[in-house]
Amino acid sequence: MIKKIVTIPNKILRMKSKRIGFVDDSIRQLASDMIETTIDWDHDSEFGAALAAIQVGEPLKLTVVRNDFDDPKNKEFTTLVNPEIVKSSVERVNDIEGCLSVPGIYGRVSRPLRVKVKALDANGSPVRLSLEGFPARVLQHEIDHMNGIIFLDHIDDSSELFNIDKNGSLMPVNQGKKDEIKKSKK
């Protein structure tokens, strides 16, 4: 079932998500609904890379992540329950991020290049992931959501924000919109 994506300034996005004690059918159904919601959101110039449960109003430590970021037609996702970064690199990368809960806005965020993540899969079995580059960025972004943090919180007020045009090109946001967005930051 397609769920409504919660967007700023909704206060639920600032809540800390709860650990999931047991992976059961209700958790698997929520993950399935989140995948369906993400796929439904996809459009011409953009596609959803991942979605945290808090973004559909469920404050649980659960995320679904697209398996192939290079092929938006690939509709396969991985479900991660209680994901946690256990190690991150000192080396950082500054790159553009966006968020389904911050529609149409993008900005440069500095994050560790590499992370090691532990989680449970959709069957409740432990998984460990070593990620680098964009996949590492995606998981850090989703885990931030579980801690009530949105990507805008990592951007200082003097940094440029962007919209995306119908051709998929980034265009600077005007000052009025930038001021409106600042109000959503912690």
Side-chain angles (χ1 to χ4, degrees), residues 83-139:
E84 180 182 334
I85 296 171
V86 294
K87 188 174 184 182
S88 54
S89 66
V90 174
E91 186 181 356
R92 297 177 73 84
V93 176
N94 197 17
D95 206 353
I96 297 287
E97 282 189 31
C99 179
L100 278 64
S101 291
V102 186
I105 301 298
Y106 299 83
R108 290 197 179 281
V109 176
S110 177
R111 293 197 186 268
L113 173 64
R114 289 178 295 282
V115 293
K116 291 189 180 205
V117 175
K118 72 176 186 177
L120 300 176
D121 67 14
N123 297 313
S125 300
V127 292
R128 293 208 175 248
L129 305 168
S130 292
L131 304 165
E132 183 172 337
F134 189 69
R137 176 172 296 278
V138 168
L139 253 294

Side-chain angles (χ1 to χ4, degrees), residues 31-182:
S32 176
D33 292 347
M34 290 164 59
I35 292 166
E36 194 176 338
T37 300
T38 306
I39 291 168
D40 181 66
W41 181 90
D42 290 353
H43 49 280
D44 293 342
S45 59
E46 302 172 277
F47 68 92
L51 190 68
I54 195 82
Q55 293 178 270
V56 293
E58 298 287 343
L60 297 170
K61 290 191 174 193
L62 173 67
T63 188
V64 294
V65 181
R66 196 177 288 265
N67 288 354
D68 186 346
F69 301 120
D70 295 323
D71 181 9
K73 290 181 177 64
N74 184 329
K75 309 294 188 202
E76 293 178 20
F77 283 71
T78 296
T79 297
L80 296 173
V81 177
N82 300 327
E84 180 182 334
I85 296 171
V86 294
K87 188 174 184 182
S88 54
S89 66
V90 174
E91 186 181 356
R92 297 177 73 84
V93 176
N94 197 17
D95 206 353
I96 297 287
E97 282 189 31
C99 179
L100 278 64
S101 291
V102 186
I105 301 298
Y106 299 83
R108 290 197 179 281
V109 176
S110 177
R111 293 197 186 268
L113 173 64
R114 289 178 295 282
V115 293
K116 291 189 180 205
V117 175
K118 72 176 186 177
L120 300 176
D121 67 14
N123 297 313
S125 300
V127 292
R128 293 208 175 248
L129 305 168
S130 292
L131 304 165
E132 183 172 337
F134 189 69
R137 176 172 296 278
V138 168
L139 253 294
Q140 291 173 79
H141 179 111
E142 298 310 313
I143 291 170
D144 271 358
H145 271 303
M146 295 171 206
N147 292 307
I149 298 166
I150 58 174
F151 83 97
L152 295 173
D153 299 333
H154 294 289
I155 300 172
D156 71 44
D157 291 341
S158 65
S159 295
E160 196 159 22
L161 296 175
F162 304 93
N163 290 112
I164 196 164
D165 68 16
K166 63 184 173 213
N167 301 319
S169 299
L170 293 173
M171 307 294 291
V173 169
N174 68 40
Q175 190 60 46
K177 183 72 173 171
K178 195 172 177 180
D179 292 341
E180 181 185 319
I181 292 163
K182 275 188 211 175

